[in-house]
Amino acid sequence: MIQRDARQFIPNSEQALQDTTLQTALARAKSGFLGKRRKAIALVDDFEFLKQQAQAAKQRALDNIPALLDQFEHNLNAAGGQLHRAATPDDLNRIVLDICQRRQAKIITKGKSMVSEETHLNTALEQAGLDVVETDLGEYIIQLAKEPPSHIIAPAVHKTRQAVAELFRHHHALGERDLNEISNLVEEARQMLRQRFLAADVGITGANLLVASTGSIAIVTNEGNGDLTATLPPVHIVTASLEKLVENLEDAGAILEVLGRSATGQAMSAYTTFFTGPKRPSELDGPEEMHVIVLDNGRSDILQSEFAAMLRCIRCGACLNHCPVYSNVGGHAYGSVYPGPMGSVLTPLLEGLNQGHVLPNASTFCGRCAEVCPMGIPLPDLLRKLREQEHRQQLDSTGWRMVLRFYSWLATRPRWFHLAMRAITFTQRLLRDASGTRLRVPFSNGWNRQRELPAAPDATPFLQQWQKQQERKP
Ligand code: SF4
């Protein structure tokens, strides 16, 4: 069984690679995401310009977080809402629970919120006896399956249509029906969820943006479930992390320009909604109370560190979709709330290097993640810095540390280094296969089965060529 522990990345990955259903689902999802993003970007004259605008907007906010949070609070209060500051995940869960208990809530509907995954909010609410219903289709599916999300924007991406049909048959007592088409599955989920939307006492959503100049929050979904969760119950609770703040609506617009295109290949989701406070006396619809809980959970420290750029992340998922590691092992293998390249940086920062130090090694350093990131986050550089910290804190394996120590000894002694290179060149000649172009390394059958190690050519080594050239100089 896949373990929810980031330190188990390697055994989890081995299992994931053997899982044929998962491999089918991942292959299908990958081609869909990549193609849609490519097309959406091709339709824009200058996507680089949009990216720069979005990055500048986010950076302006990160440079001024404490003041923006105060301004957001002031404007939210003026609109009738209330801000709560949560330093830790437990604080956030306690604030939500207090609100629910004060309102004597029983049924809670939830829109997608990665922050609530970070704080394990559902578990906290369920332990207090509340009935929590996820309303994003993907989240609903994995809630039925009792699994965590495997992607930050497509939580059930690891499930095939057949697996979802099986889940629905098991959990919905609706008798015989045709669940072969995706449209039938969607319709059934809609029917089941509609009753819960109408019965909910509290709706909890995440937020993609917190706009300081107006006190508004923006929610972007693909199904409109966020809007129903926010407007139907009498209480709306928003869970968001500190870095969601932006200065004003123009900056929010700049970020939305790149979010949809990078995430789902849409110019903008049809369900992009700004909420400013609860229902006003003259309005018919909307909640009576609106609470925005802003979670820090170590982000203030990250902001002061060499990893501050990571807080520019807008959770578009593009780095996951383009990562050769994520697309082969899926999100659960990471054993953490945030998978893929962004998760491999965020997890050690949020949960500590002791817990997350294996994840920065889950990268080939191909650099694709940084190339596609609309927020210009230098993910490979950040992963490298975390690997350095892992090495300094001696969290990497003893064998690997000894190899590095030996290499650093060798590399600083030119005579020994050249002797070693000659010995390696000689040995690799003995290991060539019949074609003479590949090496067969003894005792590494697993490696050889999956890959080809090319043999070095018989040409004169560079250093010898260089020396000869120097000798020929007058
Ligand atoms: S790191 Fe960049 S590409 Fe990855 S989710 Fe965040 S914004 Fe998107």
Side-chain angles (χ1 to χ4, degrees), residues 72 76 80-84 95-96 98-100 102-103 202-206 210 217 234-240 277-278 287-294:
F72 177 78
L76 177 68
Q82 197 180 338
L83 180 86
H84 308 260
I95 295 166
V96 174
D98 284 350
I99 298 168
C100 292
R102 179 174 53 75
R103 294 289 304 210
V202 170
I204 302 176
T205 66
L210 306 175
I217 65 137
V235 180
H236 178 200
I237 302 177
V238 182
T239 55
E288 295 153 15
E289 290 180 32
M290 180 181 183
H291 301 266
V292 181
I293 311 175
V294 178

Side-chain angles (χ1 to χ4, degrees), residues 320-335:
L320 279 68
N321 303 335
H322 290 77
C323 174
V325 177
Y326 177 90
S327 33
N328 277 289
V329 301
H332 287 164
Y334 291 77

Side-chain angles (χ1 to χ4, degrees), residues 152 310 313-319 342 369 372-375 377 379:
I152 55 174
M310 194 59 226
C313 177
I314 53 171
R315 311 284 189 267
C316 70
C319 59
M342 56 79 76
C369 50
V372 298
C373 174
M375 302 310 285
I377 301 171
L379 289 155

Side-chain angles (χ1 to χ4, degrees), residues 41-89:
I41 288 174
L43 290 172
V44 181
D45 283 343
D46 193 351
F47 191 61
E48 280 308 308
F49 176 74
L50 293 184
K51 278 165 62 178
Q52 283 164 16
Q53 299 285 100
Q55 289 166 25
K58 196 64 156 174
Q59 196 54 51
R60 265 196 300 280
L62 292 181
D63 291 341
N64 200 18
I65 285 279
L68 288 183
L69 186 57
D70 289 343
Q71 190 188 2
F72 177 78
E73 180 171 26
H74 174 81
N75 289 322
L76 177 68
N77 288 346
Q82 197 180 338
L83 180 86
H84 308 260
R85 299 171 197 234
T88 65

Side-chain angles (χ1 to χ4, degrees), residues 130-350:
L130 296 169
D131 182 5
V132 184
V133 189
E134 293 287 352
T135 62
D136 171 272
L137 180 57
E139 290 281 349
Y140 178 65
I141 290 167
I142 59 165
Q143 189 183 29
L144 293 183
K146 297 191 179 16
E147 289 174 6
S150 68
H151 191 290
I152 55 174
I153 63 162
V157 73
H158 58 287
K159 292 264 181 241
T160 57
R161 172 168 50 87
Q162 293 78 4
V164 176
E166 214 171 290
L167 266 176
F168 281 13
R169 282 190 201 289
H170 181 72
H171 288 275
H172 303 157
L174 292 175
E176 257 323 296
R177 69 244 190 235
D178 176 12
L179 289 180
N180 288 326
E181 298 299 322
I182 289 182
S183 54
N184 294 354
L185 293 168
V186 173
E187 183 51 39
E188 182 161 318
R190 181 180 286 132
Q191 273 179 32
M192 301 306 290
L193 287 171
R194 197 49 60 111
Q195 305 157 20
R196 313 310 297 276
F197 279 125
L198 295 170
D201 304 301
V202 170
I204 302 176
T205 66
N208 294 77
L209 298 160
L210 306 175
V211 185
S213 66
T214 58
S216 316
I217 65 137
I219 302 178
V220 181
T221 70
N222 264 321
E223 300 156 24
N225 67 301
D227 302 292
L228 292 174
T229 307
T231 51
L232 288 179
V235 180
H236 178 200
I237 302 177
V238 182
T239 55
S241 50
L242 200 57
E243 74 275 21
K244 295 291 159 72
L245 280 159
V246 289
E247 273 184 14
N248 49 42
L249 290 168
E250 286 73 26
D251 285 358
I255 290 169
L256 290 173
E257 287 277 10
V258 298
L259 176 62
R261 292 183 169 95
S262 304
T264 48
Q266 294 163 291
M268 194 167 289
S269 165
Y271 300 103
T272 300
T273 313
F274 285 77
F275 296 93
T276 310
K279 178 171 70 170
R280 290 168 182 67
S282 58
E283 290 171 342
L284 288 176
D285 300 313
E288 295 153 15
E289 290 180 32
M290 180 181 183
H291 301 266
V292 181
I293 311 175
V294 178
L295 176 70
D296 189 311
N297 194 22
R299 286 166 171 86
S300 295
D301 293 336
I302 298 174
L303 209 46
Q304 306 304 323
S305 76
E306 57 186 336
F307 298 100
M310 194 59 226
L311 296 182
R312 291 207 296 266
C313 177
I314 53 171
R315 311 284 189 267
C316 70
C319 59
L320 279 68
N321 303 335
H322 290 77
C323 174
V325 177
Y326 177 90
S327 33
N328 277 289
V329 301
H332 287 164
Y334 291 77
S336 59
V337 170
Y338 300 104
M342 56 79 76
S344 296
V345 176
L346 258 188
T347 306
L349 297 179
L350 295 178

